[in-house]
C-alpha cells in the first residue's frame, strides 16, 4: 500500500477506502495520530456543507496535530458542483469543480495512481520513494533528485511535477551537461535582439517559458558556476536578466534539479542549500534488482509481445539479474532491445555480486573468530537471522503482511512464518 485513503462526508461514503467518517465533526484525531508514520494518509473531505469558519478551525487543528506528532497526513478539501478552483495551503489543498465531490475524488485518486505506476518497481527502495512523492504533492518548493546517470531522474521529475500544485502548468527540462556553456545560458535565460552577433530576434528562454510552472535542471552539478549564481538569484529575487537586457523579467518558477555528482565542489553550497529543501534519493538499478522482471515485462507488454520474464531461458534470466548495470535502467532497456533483436544478450558480462559477498563474509567470519572468539556456527546463525529478517521486513511491507503470500515465497507453512516474524521481531 503506497498511501492510505480516508474519506469524510456522506457523499463519499461508498468510495473504496480504508476508513470513512460521516462528517467533519466525527473525525477521530486520535485515530489519525495512531495510524503510524510508515504509510502516508490522504484525507478526502467533502467541504461543500461547511462554512468557511468551521473549515478554518478544523484545518488549524489538523495542521497543528500533524506538526506536533510528525504524522504523514495530507488532506484534499473538495467543493463539488462549484467553480473551478485550486488552492494550496501547506498540508491541505482545496479543489473545486463543476463535477460531483465523488467524481473529483475519484479523478484525484486515478491521477495519483497512474502517475505512480509509471515508476515501475515494488522493491523496498522504490516503495519508499513513491511514498515520498505522495507527500511531496502538497509541496511547492524546490526538490533535488540524487541519482546516477540512466537511473530515471527525468521520469521521476515529470511525475513529481505532474502531481504537484503546478501539475496543470508548463513543465520544461534541460540537461545541463549536454549543452555548451554559451548555448546553455541563452537556452535558459534567452536574449534580446542585437545583444550579440547573430541575435537577429528576441529569444524566450526556458526560465521564462516555465513561468508559473516547473523547470527541471538535469545534471545541475555540471552547470558552470557563473550560471549557478544566476539561478541562485532567481530563487532569491524571482527575477532574471535576459542576455543583453537592462531590465529584469519577473518569473515564478519551481525548480526541480538532479545530479549524479554529490561532491561539494560540483555545486555552489548556497545554491545546493536553496534547491535541496527536499532531497529524493533515486536508487541505482543494482540496488533494486527485484524490479528487473517488472521492467522487462512492462517493456515487452508495451511493444505487444506475449512473452514475459518468467518464460525466457534460465541462462538469460541469470544474465539479466546478475549484471550490475553501470548504465542503470537505460542500459537495461538497451539489453532488452538486444534480446528482442537477437534473442540473446551478449554485451553483459555476468558479474555475480553473491560470490563477492560470500568471500567478504568468509573473511568477516575469520576476523570475528580472532577478535571476538565467535565460532563459525554462531556467525552463520547471525547471518541467517539478519538476512531472513531483512527479507521478511521488505516482503511483508510490499505484500501488506499477507501471511499466506509470504509462506508461498519462503516455501514455509503460514504457521512457521508467524513464528519467524515473532522470533525475529518483525512488526
Amino acid at each position: 500500500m503506497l498511501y492510505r485513503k480516508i474519506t469524510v462526508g456522506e457523499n463519499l461514503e461508498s468510495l473504496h477506502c480504508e476508513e470513512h467518517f460521516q462528517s467533519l465533526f466525527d473525525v477521530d484525531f486520535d485515530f489519525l495520530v495512531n495510524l503510524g508514520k510508515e504509510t502516508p494518509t490522504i484525507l478526502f473531505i467533502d467541504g461543500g456543507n461547511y462554512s468557511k469558519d468551521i473549515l478554518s478551525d478544523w484545518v488549524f487543528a489538523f495542521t497543528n496535530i500533524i506538526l506536533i506528532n510528525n504524522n504523514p497526513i495530507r488532506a484534499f478539501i473538495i467543493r463539488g458542483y462549484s467553480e473551478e478552483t485550486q488552492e494550496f495551503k501547506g498540508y491541505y489543498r482545496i479543489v473545486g469543480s463543476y463535477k460531483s465531490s465523488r467524481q473529483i475524488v475519484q479523478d484525484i485518486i486515478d491521477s495519483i495512481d497512474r502517475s505512480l505506476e509509471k515508476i515501475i518497481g515494488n522493491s523496498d527502495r522504490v516503495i519508499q520513494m513513491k511514498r515520498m512523492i505522495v507527500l511531496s504533492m502538497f509541496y511547492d518548493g524546490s526538490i533535488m533528485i540524487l541519482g546516477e546517470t540512466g537511473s530515471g531522474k527525468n521520469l521521476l521529475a515529470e511525475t513529481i511535477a505532474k502531481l504537484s500544485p503546478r501539475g496543470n502548468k508548463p513543465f520544461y527540462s534541460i540537461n545541463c551537461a549536454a549543452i555548451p556553456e554559451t548555448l546553455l545560458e541563452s537556452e535558459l535565460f534567452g536574449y534580446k535582439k542585437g545583444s550579440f552577433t547573430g541575435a537577429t530576434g528576441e529569444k524566450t528562454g526556458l526560465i521564462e517559458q516555465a513561468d508559473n510552472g516547473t523547470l527541471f535542471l538535469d545534471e545541475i552539478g555540471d552547470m558552470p558556476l557563473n550560471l549557478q549564481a544566476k539561478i541562485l538569484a532567481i530563487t532569491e529575487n524571482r527575477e532574471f536578466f535576459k542576455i543583453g537586457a537592462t531590465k529584469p523579467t519577473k518569473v515564478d518558477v519551481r525548480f526541480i534539479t538532479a545530479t549524479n555528482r554529490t561532491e561539494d565542489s560540483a555545486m555552489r553550497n548556497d545554491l545546493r542549500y536553496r534547491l535541496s529543501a527536499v532531497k529524493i534519493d533515486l536508487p541505482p538499478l543494482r540496488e533494486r534488482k527485484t524490479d528487473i522482471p517488472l521492467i522487462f515485462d512492462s517493456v515487452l507488454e508495451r511493444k505487444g509481445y506475449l512473452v514475459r520474464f518468467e518464460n525466457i531461458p534460465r541462462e538469460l534470466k541469470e544474465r539479466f539479474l546478475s549484471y550490475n548495470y553501470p548504465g542503470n535502467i537505460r542500459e537495461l532497456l538497451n539489453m532488452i532491445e538486444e534480446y528482442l533483436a537477437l534473442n540473446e544478450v551478449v554485451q553483459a558480462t555476468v558479474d555475480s555480486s553473491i560470490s563477492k559477498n560470500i568471500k567478504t563474509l568468509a573473511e568477516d567470519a575469520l576476523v570475528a573468530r580472532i577478535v571476538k572468539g565467535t565460532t563459525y556456527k554462531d556467525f552463520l546463525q547471525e547471518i541467517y537471522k539478519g538476512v531472513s529478517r531483512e527479507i521478511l521486513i521488505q516482503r511483508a511491507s510490499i505484500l501488506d503482511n499477507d501471511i499466506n503470500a509470504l509462506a508461498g515465497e519462503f516455501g514455509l507453512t503460514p504457521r512457521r512464518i508467524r513464528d519467524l516474524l515473532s522470533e525475529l521481531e518483525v512488526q
Side-chain angles (χ1 to χ4, degrees), residues 74 90 93 134-143 160 163-166 254 274-278:
R74 305 292 185 264
R93 290 164 67 169
V134 171
L135 292 178
S136 74
M137 292 194 309
F138 294 75
Y139 176 66
D140 194 38
S142 299
I143 291 179
I160 293 170
L163 293 176
S164 76
R166 302 179 189 234
R254 183 199 194 189
R274 185 58 63 90
L275 295 179
S276 60
V278 173

Side-chain angles (χ1 to χ4, degrees), residues 15-30:
L15 280 169
H16 176 68
C17 64
E18 283 70 34
E19 189 72 23
H20 174 75
F21 296 104
Q22 282 292 111
S23 75
L24 202 58
F25 305 106
D26 296 325
V27 175
D28 186 343
F29 281 112
D30 287 337

